[in-house]
Amino acid sequence: MLLDNASSHTLPALAKEWAYKDLRGFEMSHTIFAFLPKNTTSEVQPLDQGIISATKARYRGRHVRWYIAEVEADPPNPKAKVDLRLAICWVVESFREVVEETIRNCWAHSRILPSEAMLELRQQQTAGSKTHRKNKLESLGQADSK
């Protein structure tokens, strides 16, 4: 698991610390954690490069649709507030709607993966784009025949 250098990411008491060249991290019973090098979070962290923004866009859409429904309700409720449970549900649903291609692209653009993995991602991107275009053309053809 990759962690940035936020002050909240502290070493747990039972963790086994490790270091390799400029990297450092720790291990727990079944998970290895690695801290990203200093001042690189925004450059290499895939979540910062599109996955979070895609999730936020979907979340905001949900929030706006909910608010419009509240204002247009009978009787209108312009002072309605989103409770924590609903907000968490929206985040989960919004993240689940982020398409695989977005996640793959973010990892590819992060330049953090080994060369072999980057090559595989690029091949998947190319294959995914071709499949997407083919499916789109087929669906257009089916629509034309109806």
Side-chain angles (χ1 to χ4, degrees):
M1 177 171 289
L2 296 175
L3 301 171
D4 61 15
N5 289 291
S7 59
S8 59
H9 298 156
T10 58
L11 192 65
L14 300 174
K16 178 183 169 189
E17 199 168 0
W18 60 266
Y20 176 76
K21 295 186 180 181
D22 292 339
L23 296 176
R24 63 182 188 83
F26 59 93
E27 292 181 35
M28 296 297 284
S29 59
H30 299 291
T31 309
I32 297 173
F33 297 84
F35 289 103
L36 291 170
K38 291 188 184 302
N39 302 319
T40 60
T41 301
S42 63
E43 295 176 28
V44 298
Q45 190 174 33
L47 288 175
D48 283 348
Q49 296 182 355
I51 300 169
I52 289 174
S53 62
T55 303
K56 282 182 180 178
R58 286 164 176 77
Y59 177 90
R60 286 187 194 112
R62 279 185 165 75
H63 192 184
V64 168
R65 286 189 300 275
W66 173 85
Y67 187 73
I68 290 171
E70 290 294 319
V71 170
E72 292 178 347
D74 188 24
N77 188 8
K79 294 185 179 183
K81 293 185 179 180
V82 177
D83 63 16
L84 182 59
R85 183 181 179 283
L86 183 57
I88 291 171
C89 287
W90 286 348
V91 169
V92 171
E93 292 168 2
S94 299
F95 179 74
R96 286 183 177 154
E97 290 175 1
V98 175
V99 295
E100 182 181 329
E101 185 178 5
T102 299
I103 296 169
R104 190 180 305 118
N105 288 341
C106 290
W107 277 105
H109 290 282
S110 73
R111 302 179 319 272
I112 194 172
L113 299 174
S115 303
E116 303 82 28
M118 293 295 289
L119 179 61
E120 185 179 332
L121 274 174
R122 286 192 185 102
Q123 289 170 344
Q124 289 176 359
Q125 282 176 304
T126 304
S129 296
K130 288 178 183 175
T131 302
H132 177 73
R133 282 193 299 271
K134 180 182 173 196
N135 291 343
K136 190 70 171 171
L137 289 171
E138 287 175 356
S139 70
L140 290 171
Q142 290 173 355
D144 289 343
S145 64
K146 289 183 181 179

